[in-house]
Amino acid sequence: SLGVSDGRNSQDIINAPVNFPNIMYTFHFYAASHRDNYLNELDRASSVLPIFVTEFGTQTYSGDGANDFNMADRYMELMARKKISWTNWNYSDDFRSGAIWKTGTC
């Protein structure tokens, strides 16, 4: 979360980056839970650090609950503009609201 979950920000990482070649930093978000402060931190950090969004969902961080497609779209627009690669969480047909397929499809 680039430090946001701990009440910090990415400046700690920017000030002391991993000193190793070919490193990327990961970021996870759940659109219904992780609002503007997470989005803004991703925007800020991705201007300095190589970032890959290795997991995200449109629902709450529990992997269930209501989907927030508007907030997810804001993240998608940012990732497209900044050329941040990503993968979506729960590419399955399980019972959670974040599942891509209807339950029983697979």
Side-chain angles (χ1 to χ4, degrees), residues 11-85:
Q11 198 60 50
D12 294 337
I13 301 164
I14 293 167
N15 290 343
V18 175
N19 189 16
F20 207 84
N22 203 23
I23 292 289
M24 291 197 77
Y25 295 86
T26 65
F27 184 77
H28 294 188
F29 72 87
Y30 292 89
S33 296
H34 301 136
R35 312 304 296 169
D36 287 326
N37 55 336
Y38 284 77
L39 179 70
N40 293 338
E41 198 59 40
L42 176 59
D43 186 16
R44 185 169 88 90
S46 65
S47 294
V48 180
L49 302 170
I51 296 180
F52 177 42
V53 175
T54 55
E55 182 177 314
F56 84 89
T58 57
Q59 68 291 337
T60 63
Y61 65 85
S62 68
D64 209 356
N67 289 298
D68 187 339
F69 295 120
N70 289 330
M71 190 67 189
D73 190 49
R74 291 178 61 200
Y75 275 103
M76 296 299 292
E77 288 173 357
L78 173 68
M79 292 186 297
R81 182 170 42 85
K82 301 287 274 291
K83 297 183 183 191
I84 299 171
S85 295

